[in-house]
Amino acid sequence: MIQLLGQGFADCETPYEESRFVLFGAPFDGTTSFKPGTRFGPRAIREMSYNFESFIPEFDLDLGDLLVHDMGDLDLGVVPDEAVDQVAELAGQISSDGKIPVMLGGEHSVSIGSVRGVRPEVAVICDAHLDLRDEYRGSKYNHGCAARRIFEEGVRDIVIIGARSGTPDQYEFARNVTLYSADKVRELGIAEVIRKVDEFVGRRRLYLSVDADVIDCCATPGLGTPEPFGLQPLDIRTVVMAFAGRASGFDYVEVCPCDQGQTACVATSLIRLFIAAHWAFGAPPA
Ligand code: MN
Ligand code: MN
């Protein structure tokens, strides 16, 4: 039989009803403050997905067997809070159907919607930036407000890993969250940070959000707001593999494909590893 390639994320062809994981894109970059282009993130990630073997050796699993459905991209408006509402509605639907939403950003503001839909008890956010502004450039749904909105909307237990940028006001507000700065991660080592976060999370319902700029911009330069002296791709791989098993939702945001593909390549690989690790370690949905 002649085999044709699909349009979606490679090897994710399970129908929605039978799926355990549901991928969707949120191609929104309306509040970008520096370099625009994260709206093209989902497209770059899907394109890169055809680079990889379907077999994932770390878990001895084939992605094609893991019941993943790719819904395509949301058609988002330009008003930030409305885009966030659209994301929340879809993520909430996927979550209430007992499936794990896996969102491809888009800028970080879309995570506010996904977290609202999933309703976790704890959020672990990997980011170069604190994203704890209450309001920025006229919107409370600016990408620089992502962690703050998640907090204000009721997820009071937030862990931020890898931060190295913020205003004095944001560092002040950061006393309300658990912060492991990039320098702190280097001091303690990622394994010790994971041990501490693991203790904090316990058996609670978790949401995991990765802002691509948590990784050092010298390694993955396809970013809207690059920052040097960050974490390494392997550090974030360790974080994703450690927490995927108990995550009720996941996103990888802020991929701005203006580089040679490094940023989308790391993102795509980590999305695959999230799914495989969740399959290997996670409880099947009730
Ligand atoms: Mn962010
Ligand atoms: Mn960031």
Side-chain angles (χ1 to χ4, degrees), residues 6-237:
Q7 300 284 308
F9 200 105
D11 308 301
C12 297
E13 280 152 26
T14 303
Y16 181 86
E17 294 70 29
E18 295 155 39
S19 67
R20 190 186 287 187
F21 304 91
V22 178
L23 291 174
F24 68 94
F28 179 79
D29 61 5
T31 78
T32 301
S33 41
F34 186 58
K35 191 191 290 178
T38 61
R39 70 178 65 184
F40 301 115
R43 193 181 296 179
I45 289 167
R46 287 199 184 88
E47 187 176 34
M48 188 59 74
S49 70
Y50 291 88
N51 170 54
F52 293 100
E53 300 286 355
S54 61
F55 184 64
I56 302 176
E58 289 91 332
F59 294 97
D60 193 25
L61 291 170
D62 192 290
L63 184 59
D65 297 331
L66 306 189
L67 306 181
V68 191
H69 177 71
D70 184 352
M71 287 192 105
D73 289 346
L74 278 164
D75 184 13
L76 296 169
V78 298
V79 179
D81 48 320
E82 290 176 12
V84 167
D85 286 346
Q86 284 176 274
V87 171
E89 190 182 343
L90 181 61
Q93 184 61 56
I94 295 166
S95 195
S96 64
D97 287 340
K99 306 173 190 303
I100 307 293
V102 176
M103 181 175 66
L104 322 176
E107 57 168 59
H108 212 164
S109 45
V110 295
S111 301
I112 305 164
S114 187
V115 170
R116 195 192 292 161
V118 170
R119 297 244 150 260
E121 297 167 271
V122 193
V124 173
I125 302 171
C126 304
D127 199 333
H129 308 92
L130 292 175
D131 284 358
L132 287 170
R133 292 174 190 270
D134 188 36
E135 183 272 334
Y136 192 48
R137 298 185 173 201
S139 176
K140 283 180 174 287
Y141 295 87
N142 189 287
H143 69 137
C145 310
R148 179 65 175 266
R149 284 286 80 66
I150 288 168
F151 181 90
E152 304 289 355
E153 291 195 4
V155 183
R156 292 297 162 111
D157 284 338
I158 294 180
V159 180
I160 299 176
I161 300 174
R164 52 199 185 273
S165 170
T167 59
D169 283 354
Q170 290 181 75
Y171 276 101
E172 175 74 28
F173 191 85
R175 291 176 192 187
N176 297 301
V177 306
T178 306
L179 172 61
Y180 295 98
S181 69
D183 282 336
K184 194 75 186 170
V185 173
R186 267 186 292 276
E187 182 196 323
L188 296 174
I190 194 71
E192 176 63 7
V193 171
I194 284 169
R195 197 193 61 72
K196 285 169 176 287
V197 176
D198 200 75
E199 223 173 75
F200 178 78
V201 172
R203 302 178 67 84
R204 292 182 294 169
R205 188 173 166 84
L206 169 73
Y207 187 94
L208 180 59
S209 176
V210 179
D211 178 329
D213 63 35
V214 69
I215 294 171
D216 194 296
C217 67
C218 303
T220 55
L223 301 166
T225 44
E227 289 282 345
F229 316 124
L231 303 195
Q232 292 304 306
L234 277 171
D235 296 326
I236 297 302
R237 178 176 180 260

